[in-house]
Amino acid sequence: METVSAHEQTSSAQGAEAVRAGLERQYQQAWGVPAAAIFFRTRRFRLDYPGRSNLGAMSLAGRIVWVLCLPFFAIYVLVGSILSEVGINIPALEDKETVKPGTVRVLGMAKAEPVTSLIDALRRGRRGGWLVLAHSRAVFLKGSLPKSVDRPTWVCTDGSTRLSLNSDGHNEVHLAWPEMARASLYLDPAECAIALRQSRKFA
């Protein structure tokens, strides 16, 4: 089993912080306001949005696993319904994944181009990327290391986005388009702490 040395871990962390600082500096200069860069790796989707489904947003491997597990889930539901008829209740399958880091939850009443393109960008950036935020502006760039950060794959700088951060339990960053849709990205606690600290610059 391959292990990562403490030196390699330190170098990786320093590299990530260098990318963060560079992106914040770049977009602060471009936008004229302080910016916060958050690293985010998409792990799962929870979508209630026109034109996009959880299954459609999965990777190929995820779809295969879902198809293979579906018969077992159907049997679980069938057995549960039979037992409930005779007064025996079995524990429900709890949906704890929705609050795990890497979850993307999108709720929408109507399709909006910035929301649809955000879902697609996060789906393509499953290996990780940087979400750069500042006062109703946001971009997403694929890649985690200095040499692998691409040009933005999603941009919303028209002032239509409302941003907020929540560290009470779920460590979320919210991007809202009033009367259309809302996207919530559940962050790693360490990234959320950094985001909260940086966001005070443009609070």
Side-chain angles (χ1 to χ4, degrees):
M1 180 177 179
E2 186 176 335
T3 59
V4 179
S5 68
H7 175 71
E8 289 174 325
Q9 291 178 335
T10 300
S11 297
S12 177
Q14 291 174 341
E17 291 310 307
V19 174
R20 188 193 311 276
L23 289 173
E24 291 176 347
R25 184 169 54 251
Q26 175 186 340
Y27 283 94
Q28 180 172 340
Q29 292 174 350
W31 293 337
V33 293
I38 304 168
F39 183 74
F40 185 79
R41 177 178 285 111
T42 305
R43 299 188 185 281
R44 60 191 65 80
F45 286 89
R46 292 292 177 268
L47 305 178
D48 185 2
Y49 179 78
R52 292 294 184 274
S53 67
N54 294 328
L55 185 59
M58 287 183 182
S59 64
L60 178 59
R63 295 181 197 183
I64 292 173
V65 171
W66 171 255
V67 171
L68 293 176
C69 290
L70 191 58
F72 297 98
F73 179 73
I75 293 171
Y76 181 91
V77 172
L78 178 61
V79 171
S81 63
I82 294 172
L83 292 177
S84 66
E85 290 294 326
V86 295
I88 301 175
N89 294 318
I90 61 175
L93 292 176
E94 296 183 11
D95 190 12
K96 296 181 179 178
E97 289 186 331
T98 54
V99 295
K100 289 183 178 179
T103 297
V104 178
R105 177 183 285 170
V106 181
L107 301 174
M109 298 294 293
K111 291 184 70 173
E113 194 282 330
V115 186
T116 303
S117 57
L118 173 62
I119 294 171
D120 293 341
L122 292 172
R123 180 175 55 82
R124 292 192 297 268
R126 283 183 177 274
R127 293 188 177 181
W130 293 90
L131 187 67
V132 185
L133 309 170
H135 273 315
S136 70
R137 299 179 177 90
V139 300
F140 181 76
L141 308 93
K142 285 198 307 180
S144 56
L145 300 175
K147 293 182 180 179
S148 66
V149 175
D150 295 334
R151 292 182 178 180
T153 55
W154 177 76
V155 178
C156 188
T157 56
D158 60 1
S160 64
T161 313
R162 292 184 182 176
L163 306 172
S164 62
L165 285 162
N166 173 24
S167 61
D168 297 334
H170 292 163
N171 299 314
E172 309 157 68
V173 57
H174 302 294
L175 298 94
W177 290 263
E179 300 181 6
M180 288 191 294
R182 175 188 178 98
S184 299
L185 280 64
Y186 292 81
L187 308 175
D188 176 270
E191 281 297 315
C192 188
I194 293 171
L196 284 169
R197 185 171 67 247
Q198 294 297 92
S199 67
R200 294 192 184 103
K201 298 178 181 178
F202 55 83

